[in-house]
Amino acid sequence: MANTIYQTKSTVTGGRNGKVQSEDGVLNLELRIPKEMGGPGGSYTNPEQLFSAGYAACFDSALNFVALQQKIKLTGTRVSATVGLEKADPGFKLAVALDVAIQGIPREQAQQLLETAHQVCPYSNALRNNVDVKLTLLEEEY
């Protein structure tokens, strides 16, 4: 890992009905299976929520990184990541949809920025050719 610029470590005990904690203690959450999957639900998180939060944050950063590199001035960005757990043979697979709002530039330029960010984002690169990721450039302002 000679080119690593940052790394972190989290540990889970108890799987989907357990606890996750980062090595620095900042992340310290109880995990539960969601009601939709037959679990108790409640005020707990799950792996899909954690993944969607991480992907949304990373992709939004990639958008702003690409804009900065290209000297494009944005007035705002917003990324919502929807992560689905689907049955597959064998086991399960993920599906992801990214809904992206980009303010301050024409739509055509925003679409190009969105596609470039998808090439730069580490989460997108990790999922490429393995998980379906649907990109949608939103029309509405926020």
Side-chain angles (χ1 to χ4, degrees), residues 51 54-55 58-59 62 94 96 98 117-133:
F51 190 81
Y55 198 172
C58 190
F59 197 89
L94 296 175
V96 176
L98 297 178
H118 190 46
Q119 297 303 311
V120 170
C121 176
Y123 276 64
S124 293
N125 287 330
L127 299 180
R128 190 164 287 112
N129 300 321
N130 192 36
V131 173
D132 291 330
V133 178

Side-chain angles (χ1 to χ4, degrees), residues 84-103:
L85 183 64
E86 301 177 348
K87 289 184 178 183
D89 188 26
F92 303 91
K93 68 178 186 172
L94 296 175
V96 176
L98 297 178
D99 294 323
V100 181
I102 301 172
Q103 290 185 330

Side-chain angles (χ1 to χ4, degrees), residues 2-129:
N3 292 325
T4 301
I5 56 174
Y6 173 76
Q7 74 179 28
T8 188
K9 180 179 178 181
S10 294
T11 302
V12 171
T13 54
R16 287 180 174 273
N17 280 314
K19 180 179 179 177
V20 59
Q21 184 170 355
S22 60
E23 64 187 345
D24 61 5
V26 171
L27 184 66
N28 188 357
L29 301 168
E30 294 288 325
L31 302 167
R32 294 295 179 273
I33 296 173
K35 275 189 172 187
E36 297 85 351
M37 292 174 57
S43 297
Y44 305 99
T45 193
N46 59 67
E48 292 72 33
Q49 281 184 337
L50 294 169
F51 190 81
S52 82
Y55 198 172
C58 190
F59 197 89
D60 194 49
S61 291
L63 277 171
N64 286 281
F65 172 79
V66 171
L68 183 65
Q69 294 291 339
Q70 295 181 11
K71 295 180 174 49
I72 298 170
K73 184 158 176 64
L74 302 176
T75 58
T77 58
R78 183 187 71 225
V79 177
S80 296
T82 302
V83 174
L85 183 64
E86 301 177 348
K87 289 184 178 183
D89 188 26
F92 303 91
K93 68 178 186 172
L94 296 175
V96 176
L98 297 178
D99 294 323
V100 181
I102 301 172
Q103 290 185 330
I105 58 176
R107 183 165 178 81
E108 185 176 299
Q109 188 178 24
Q111 184 67 44
Q112 194 171 42
L113 185 68
L114 172 69
E115 291 169 14
T116 303
H118 190 46
Q119 297 303 311
V120 170
C121 176
Y123 276 64
S124 293
N125 287 330
L127 299 180
R128 190 164 287 112
N129 300 321

